[in-house]
Amino acid sequence: DMIEYLASHGIRATENKVKPASRGAIGEAILSEARRIGADLLIKGAYTQSRLRQMIFGGATQHVLQASHIPVILSH
């Protein structure tokens, strides 16, 4: 939906699906791909998980927000 919305305003956007090397590296895989393709904006789904799970495993959304080098739009 976001790609169509941006296109209706003259903004070219593409969808990229990223497979991380390991489960804990999802956030870094997303940011690495953004760097690789020269992205200037990242639109990412943001879904919650239990606080315990987040504390133990971390979260891709948290990592992206803390380490991103480009603006991020979160969608839920």
Side-chain angles (χ1 to χ4, degrees):
D1 291 342
M2 186 61 76
I3 291 171
E4 290 175 16
Y5 175 79
L6 291 171
S8 73
H9 293 282
I11 301 169
R12 186 178 60 87
T14 58
E15 175 183 356
N16 286 13
K17 294 184 181 182
V18 178
K19 278 204 141 181
S22 68
R23 181 157 172 34
I26 297 169
E28 186 51 45
I30 292 168
L31 294 178
S32 292
E33 179 67 6
R35 275 188 219 94
R36 186 187 73 75
I37 66 172
D40 54 8
L41 174 68
L42 174 64
I43 300 170
K44 182 189 177 312
Y47 303 95
T48 59
Q49 50 187 324
S50 74
R51 287 192 185 268
L52 179 60
R53 183 178 173 89
Q54 179 101 9
M55 212 167 44
I56 295 170
F57 297 111
T61 301
Q62 180 180 0
H63 179 81
V64 166
L65 289 175
Q66 290 176 340
S68 183
H69 60 288
I70 58 176
V72 178
I73 293 176
L74 298 177
S75 176
H76 179 54

